[in-house]
Amino acid sequence: MARFRNKRGKAPAKSPGMKKPPGVNQVTGEKVPKSIVFGRGKLPGHLKQLEHDLRKLMLPHTALKLKEKKRNNLKDFLNIAGPMGVTHFLILSNPKSIPHLRVARTPQGPTLTFEVCEYALAADVARSQARPRCPQGLFQNSPLIVLSGFGNGAKHLKLTTIMFQNIFPAIDINTVKLSSCQRIVLLNYNSETKLIDFRHYSIRLQPVGVSRRIRKFVQNHQVPNLRNLKDVSDFVTKAGYGSESEADEEAATVNLVSDLSRVNRASTKSAVKLQEIGPRMTLRLVKVEEGLCSGSVIFSEYGKEAITEEAQEASDEETED
Amino acid sequence: MADAATADAAPPPSVMGSTGRKRKLKRGKPQKSNKKRKPISMASKKPKKPSQKMLKLFRKRARDYHSDEEEDLDETGDKKSLEESSGEEEEAQEDSDDAGHEDEFSGSDDEVDGAQQGITKFTEGCRAFRTAFRKIMKKHLSNDPLGPILSANKKLVAEKLAEEVEDQKVKGEAKKEKRLAGEKGHVMPANFLDAKEKFLISVATKGVVKLFNAVNKAQNPQKGLNPSRAKDAKELAKRRKQAFLSEIQKPSTQSYDNTSKLNSSKFCIPTNKEDNEESGWAPLRDTYMLTSSKLKDWDKMADPASIDEPESRHMDSSSDEE
């Protein structure tokens, strides 16, 4: 292991003046990205709630109970970011009553500015479900992230991909425990509408090939009602109704390496079931800035002049260099 | 009785209270200037005018009447504060007081004249006043929000209240608008899974399945080996090296293949460290953004060794189009 680490130190991508920052994983020696979520300006109640939901989403490497004051400015957050090892900022704001989400890398940037076209809080999502699910320890591990539809080669989309990939700690396939993968964050880019769907799901595994009755029996520890059965064997042999999702389950089955739980054994096949936990957002990338909420504009959805300006600036810089 | 009534001077204004008296005083002044005309009017009202003697007698009687009824009130008069208390006594006192005033002012017949009109109603007025006053005092105030106010004010206050209500309405509307503005973009999710949500879930599921399978593939051979034991760790390292070498011999990296094939789910699974180094696609390296502190030209930062990146050149040109 140590040898590889040395190799990595010599990697050409690494800048020479890089210091070892705080927030390093004790085991692997990798840097753990940390984030803080906060609001700028006065936020209405729903956005405050969204802020809290986002914090929960970013758990565990985030400040869940971050206290912000009106007089706190960006510099204050930046000042604490260094010593605390915070690598990402998620900033909610509400300019002109249009909610915006900025995702920024600290301390140098870049900053992605998203317009939140639509959003639903975690509470709303839970309310819409018959059985909202929140098992213990759901938020103890950071979520997986799936980015979909970003691969059409546009520059700003690539940057978005990188940004979101690095916002959560990377997974080492050789050492990861599947039981720690409980949540998933999905960002799906729709190239027609240019909207990004942001979803947050919980992952549940179910053994395949077992009737629902037996599964429930094993899971619930409850004595089943056998009143309608003539024989005990009927309980096992009689098939219940097949669920609608049974058909497309084929694609969503996995073999487990190790026992995940009492029900999901390594020997059995398991189906992956996702249930939304929220928050849900529909984002539109409106701006990409070079610095932390400042600097030249790399990409702008609305203004073409911003781009040309940026190009000019870039050329200026080149001449300086 | 009529005699006694005539004796007491000028009851009606006094009955009316202090305001009445003031009015009377005011009236007295212009009359002073009109003195020359008065004899004529006096002449016409001659029979009504009592002589000086009679006046004196009236005054005396009034005093007697007063002292009879109540000793503690002295006759010196001018107790405006007492006017309001109650009863005939004060009335009488006032009357005498008024009479005194009249004498001081002019002793004119006119005052007497005015007084005479009231004289007839004096007792009646007293009683009326008493009952009226008692009635007022007994009256229970209704729970009117306006409270006991003068009728002239009533309209004003009502107007004010109406205005307030209107103001509140406007304020409420403004508040509502503000709340609506705050809720902009907030939508309630549907109770069922529509096609779009189902699609998103399937995409996410695909990603999870891919990860789990990858984990399965990577961890299956190392089953039964404990990485904390030195011997096992060595064995693991050896296997990884082999896996790495075999990966290199393949024409292109798997991770990039996946993304280009599916054009959908990519998830950050930087496999192991060797994989990171050899993975051509720079962003797949977990240290890509973290190590590069200078991100000014992040798209050019990708090291030239990575040949598997046709996008980087393509993108430079695409920025002009945007």
Side-chain angles (χ1 to χ4, degrees), chain B residues 66-101:
Chain B
H66 178 75
S67 57
D68 279 347
E69 295 285 306
E70 213 169 40
E71 258 94 4
D72 37 328
L73 280 176
D74 34 15
E75 297 96 306
T76 45
D78 89 298
K79 290 168 199 82
K80 282 162 198 169
S81 61
L82 281 172
E83 284 170 16
E84 274 103 331
S85 57
S86 75
E88 299 158 86
E89 294 83 35
E90 281 107 60
E91 295 312 317
Q93 157 108 27
E94 280 228 354
D95 294 342
S96 66
D97 202 24
D98 270 347
H101 274 295

Side-chain angles (χ1 to χ4, degrees), chain A residues 141-167:
Chain A
N141 291 297
S142 45
L144 314 172
I145 184 149
V146 170
L147 299 157
S148 145
F150 283 91
N152 70 356
K155 195 166 134 192
H156 59 277
L157 290 180
K158 200 176 151 199
L159 185 63
T160 313
T161 318
I162 297 163
M163 184 69 101
F164 277 103
Q165 272 175 351
N166 287 309
I167 215 165

Side-chain angles (χ1 to χ4, degrees), chain A residues 30 119 124 153 162 176 199, chain B residues 185-186 197 219 286 289 315:
Chain A
E30 275 173 66
Y119 67 93
D124 303 330
I162 297 163
V176 72
R199 297 287 185 277
Chain B
H186 185 220
E197 294 301 320
Q219 290 188 356
D286 59 341
M289 292 288 282
M315 262 179 292

Side-chain angles (χ1 to χ4, degrees), chain B residues 60-214:
Chain B
K60 200 195 166 194
R61 271 187 190 171
R63 231 171 280 145
D64 288 352
Y65 171 78
H66 178 75
S67 57
D68 279 347
E69 295 285 306
E70 213 169 40
E71 258 94 4
D72 37 328
L73 280 176
D74 34 15
E75 297 96 306
T76 45
D78 89 298
K79 290 168 199 82
K80 282 162 198 169
S81 61
L82 281 172
E83 284 170 16
E84 274 103 331
S85 57
S86 75
E88 299 158 86
E89 294 83 35
E90 281 107 60
E91 295 312 317
Q93 157 108 27
E94 280 228 354
D95 294 342
S96 66
D97 202 24
D98 270 347
H101 274 295
E102 278 154 30
D103 276 9
E104 279 161 32
F105 273 105
S106 57
S108 74
D109 321 324
D110 198 50
E111 251 93 21
V112 182
D113 185 8
Q116 234 177 358
Q117 285 173 356
I119 282 171
T120 48
K121 289 175 188 167
F122 172 61
T123 44
E124 249 176 71
C126 269
R127 215 180 301 131
F129 178 77
R130 197 167 84 181
T131 50
F133 194 82
R134 279 194 180 156
K135 229 181 204 171
I136 289 170
M137 292 313 281
K138 269 182 197 167
K139 202 176 182 181
H140 284 285
L141 289 175
S142 62
N143 280 335
D144 194 11
L146 295 177
I149 49 165
L150 294 176
S151 61
N153 258 354
K154 213 165 196 166
K155 206 176 158 193
L156 263 178
V157 172
E159 253 173 36
K160 221 178 195 176
L161 281 179
E163 219 168 78
E164 243 170 57
V165 166
E166 218 159 88
D167 266 10
Q168 236 157 10
K169 223 184 235 172
V170 170
K171 256 187 208 170
E173 264 167 28
K175 232 181 189 176
K176 207 175 170 186
E177 238 166 62
K178 205 178 164 192
R179 216 189 58 217
L180 277 179
E183 258 184 59
K184 194 180 176 189
H186 185 220
V187 284
M188 287 292 165
N191 283 340
F192 55 90
L193 289 178
D194 53 6
K196 191 187 165 199
E197 294 301 320
K198 267 185 185 162
F199 166 72
L200 290 177
I201 284 182
S202 75
V203 167
T205 310
K206 248 184 236 167
V208 176
V209 168
K210 206 182 274 179
L211 169 73
F212 276 36
N213 285 336

